[in-house]
Amino acid sequence: VQVRDLIRRVAHRYRVDPTLALAVASMESGFDQRLVSPANAIGVMQVLPSSGAWAGELIGRRLDLLVTEDNVTAGVVMY
């Protein structure tokens, strides 16, 4: 699955404007799931582990930020 398509799908699922989600991913990582910042922000949406834990609480399940779909989900639900 292409990252951009995944972002659109997840954004629609959580009723977030896909254009916003795509813009965040573009600015944060250039759509690169392998990117880890010096502050330890991970993946496509550059989510900190503590923020990912909080996003998981919002949706009622644990998110693994190293898994692209979970990383995108965390980023989307925080917006």
Side-chain angles (χ1 to χ4, degrees):
V1 174
Q2 293 284 338
V3 172
R4 288 171 181 83
D5 292 337
L6 174 63
I7 293 167
R8 285 185 195 95
R9 190 176 79 235
V10 172
H12 284 294
R13 182 183 316 146
Y14 290 101
R15 294 188 167 97
V16 170
D17 181 348
T19 304
L20 172 63
L22 288 163
V24 169
S26 177
M27 293 301 297
E28 291 292 338
S29 72
F31 304 101
D32 186 354
Q33 175 59 23
R34 298 167 296 168
L35 189 66
V36 178
S37 78
N40 201 32
I42 298 167
V44 172
M45 302 301 272
Q46 288 294 282
V47 180
L48 292 169
S50 58
S51 299
W54 176 68
E57 289 176 17
L58 290 176
I59 65 168
R61 72 173 180 87
R62 182 182 173 278
L63 294 171
D64 181 347
L65 299 178
L66 299 176
V67 173
T68 305
E69 185 163 357
D70 281 0
N71 188 281
V72 169
T73 299
V76 165
V77 300
M78 290 190 295
Y79 290 95

